[in-house]
Structure formats: C-alpha cells, structure tokens
Amino acid sequence: MVISVPFLVRDRLSEALMKRCHLHDSADCSPLPTEGEGVMTERYSAFDLLQWLSKDTADAFLAEGKTRHFPARSSIYLQSEEGRDMFRLVSGTVRLSLIGDDGRDLLYQLFSPGDCFGTSSVVDEEPRPHTAEAFDHVTLQVFDRATINRLRQAHPELNDALLKLLSRHMRLLSDYFAAATFDEVSSRLAQRLLDITETFGVARDDGIGLSRRLSQSELAAMVGTARQTVNKVLHEFQELGIMSLHQGSMIFTDLAKLREIALKGARLQHFAAVSS
C-alpha cells in the first residue's frame, strides 16, 4: 500500500515516476522516493483511518494512542487469540498472514506507516482472523476497545470511518480470493509486485528498487505457490525486460509491461492514496 505521512518525495519527475503514473493511470501521481531523501508531504496510506476523519476527530484519535515498539520478527498478535486492541503503524512494516492446519503460511499483506489493522476484533469481539508480525523494527499506536468505544460516542464520524476501513480490508481479501481462484501464477505475482513497488519503491538510476528486501519464499507465501515456481516466473520477467536481480535484490525497469501481465488477472480494486 502507498506509504503514508511522512512520505519521501523527489524534487523532480524521473523516468521511474513516469512509468509509475502510466502503471496506475493516476492523475494524482506523486514522485517515488530516492534513497537518502527525507522531505515530507501530506499523504495518507490506503488503510489509514485518518483519511476519513476531520482534523478535530483525527487529533482526538491520535491523542489516545499508546506507543509500543516491536523488534523485527516478533509477534504482535496471533491468529485465533482474543483481540482487544487495534493498531496504527507509525514506522516499519507489519506482516499479516494466515496459518493453515498443516502449518503452511499464507502471507497476504505487508502494511506500511499509516495503515491500521486489528480492527475487526475490536468491533465484533471475535478472535483474531490472522497473525500480525513485525517484519522489521516496528513502532505502533495502540487503541484498546474501551478507548475506541469512548471515541465513537464522543465523535460519531469515527463509526463511519471504521466501517470504511473494515470494508477496504474486506475488498482486499476479496481481490486475493478472486486472484487465487482464477489467475495464473504470473498474474498473481505481477499484481503483488505492483503493490510492493508502490509501497516500498525507491527510484534509482537503473530503475525502481525496493526499500525492503523480500525473499522468494515470502513472495511465494504472498501468491500461494512454491518458491521454485516464483523463481521460474521471476526469471521469465527478467527475460521480458521487466526486472533484473542483483545479489537477491529486485530492480524493476518496465512497470508498464508488468502491469499488462497483472491486468490479465481478476484483480478488482486498486487502492489509491488519499491526499489531505
């Protein structure tokens, strides 16, 4: 998903930016960050509750958050356990996954700063539907159920915002279910790579790199296939001139062609960033 406040931006449009704009057919297309730059602009992430709140309500919401830190690879919560808190990601990356009865791990989302998660268990008081893990060092704002309920009474617009957040999560899962049912592995992988470049893309002289390194095993968990299959498809993408691999790092050189492959699938929704 799109990086939220703070979002790193370039001072001028690059070739990588032009490819990104063409990729998403977006009239509101901000430049990709470059390594080492740190200018801020007001942009929300796709799963940030704040995008649907007035400034007064957003300020009241943020004021109630308790800050917690999680080291890389530590568990934030586990699938099927009781859930009393929802979270807003301040820094780092959070990994959401489902664990099957046979122990297989389906990685279905990587959340970036601004994204909110853990909401459903706070609203319906049911067990956690998935596992949340710190992909790297993570800082979170934590809101317990009692706090959320009190804020909902004091600021009724929060109710509508929570509904929109839950709906967006539902649409995300619907997309992934449709892709897993109808799409070829190449289309599924292309769709996830597009999401990854939008969230973690960093403009380079030779294309678009990633600010987070993802293994082929993690990509396989994202698309529900074997690592060997992902390896084969990545090499096919290299032969098509879409990307290159340098010491395990991916560099994307033709996002338009990657998008063509992605559009052969059943993807229903692209969640664009919202600007304040």
Side-chain angles (χ1 to χ4, degrees):
M1 297 302 109
V2 179
I3 297 175
S4 68
V5 183
F7 188 87
L8 307 176
V9 294
R10 303 191 65 178
D11 292 330
R12 59 183 176 82
L13 293 178
S14 63
E15 181 180 357
L17 166 64
M18 299 307 295
K19 288 181 179 179
R20 180 171 178 258
C21 289
H22 176 69
L23 167 66
H24 293 302
D25 296 328
S26 174
D28 176 24
C29 191
S30 298
L32 287 167
T34 45
E35 294 172 308
E37 294 186 292
V39 183
M40 291 190 297
T41 186
E42 296 293 322
R43 286 178 70 85
Y44 296 114
S45 66
F47 291 87
D48 192 346
L49 189 71
L50 301 190
Q51 66 189 297
W52 300 297
L53 298 177
S54 66
K55 184 180 185 303
D56 288 345
T57 300
D59 289 345
F61 177 76
L62 293 176
E64 295 288 347
K66 305 295 190 296
T67 300
R68 290 188 61 186
H69 303 278
F70 292 83
R73 302 299 178 183
S74 63
S75 173
I76 299 168
Y77 57 76
L78 298 175
Q79 181 177 325
S80 299
E81 74 179 14
E82 182 181 2
R84 297 180 179 178
D85 303 315
M86 68 170 286
F87 306 87
R88 184 174 185 268
L89 183 54
V90 177
S91 65
T93 307
V94 168
R95 180 186 193 274
L96 298 189
S97 62
L98 297 169
I99 309 296
D101 293 337
D102 58 1
R104 286 188 298 169
D105 183 27
L106 174 63
L107 169 58
Y108 76 84
Q109 188 60 33
L110 291 173
F111 277 151
S112 57
D115 286 329
C116 297
F117 61 97
T119 315
S120 60
S121 293
V122 171
V123 172
D124 63 17
E125 302 184 18
E126 294 293 327
R128 298 291 191 190
H130 52 252
T131 291
E133 178 186 33
F135 186 75
D136 46 21
H137 182 80
V138 160
T139 300
L140 297 173
Q141 292 171 303
V142 184
F143 307 86
D144 62 31
R145 184 181 294 124
T147 297
I148 293 297
N149 287 340
R150 177 163 44 81
L151 285 169
R152 290 170 66 185
Q153 291 181 352
H155 303 274
E157 68 177 290
L158 183 59
N159 293 308
D160 188 53
L162 287 169
L163 282 174
K164 290 179 178 179
L165 178 62
L166 289 168
S167 175
R168 184 156 287 191
H169 278 274
M170 180 190 69
R171 290 178 183 275
L172 176 73
L173 291 176
S174 295
D175 275 1
Y176 292 161
F177 176 78
T181 304
F182 301 117
D183 293 355
E184 299 291 336
V185 172
S186 59
S187 292
R188 301 205 307 267
L189 184 58
Q191 291 164 2
R192 300 313 297 269
L193 289 174
L194 292 180
D195 288 341
I196 290 167
T197 57
E198 184 169 339
T199 303
F200 303 112
V202 176
R204 300 163 42 117
D205 290 339
D206 55 349
I208 298 174
L210 300 177
S211 61
R212 299 287 187 273
R213 186 164 178 167
L214 296 171
S215 70
Q216 291 187 11
S217 295
E218 286 167 326
L219 290 174
M222 285 182 172
V223 297
T225 190
R227 186 196 64 79
Q228 293 84 350
T229 303
V230 166
N231 182 270
K232 176 183 177 183
V233 175
L234 289 178
H235 279 90
E236 291 174 354
F237 287 172
Q238 287 186 85
E239 293 174 358
L240 291 171
I242 292 172
M243 59 174 293
S244 60
L245 292 171
H246 296 292
Q247 298 180 337
S249 296
M250 294 180 287
I251 309 296
F252 296 90
T253 53
D254 194 340
L255 292 184
K257 190 174 292 183
L258 185 64
R259 180 175 184 266
E260 289 178 7
I261 297 173
L263 289 177
K264 295 177 181 178
R267 185 63 177 267
L268 304 175
Q269 177 78 35
H270 171 69
F271 299 116
V274 176
S275 299
S276 62

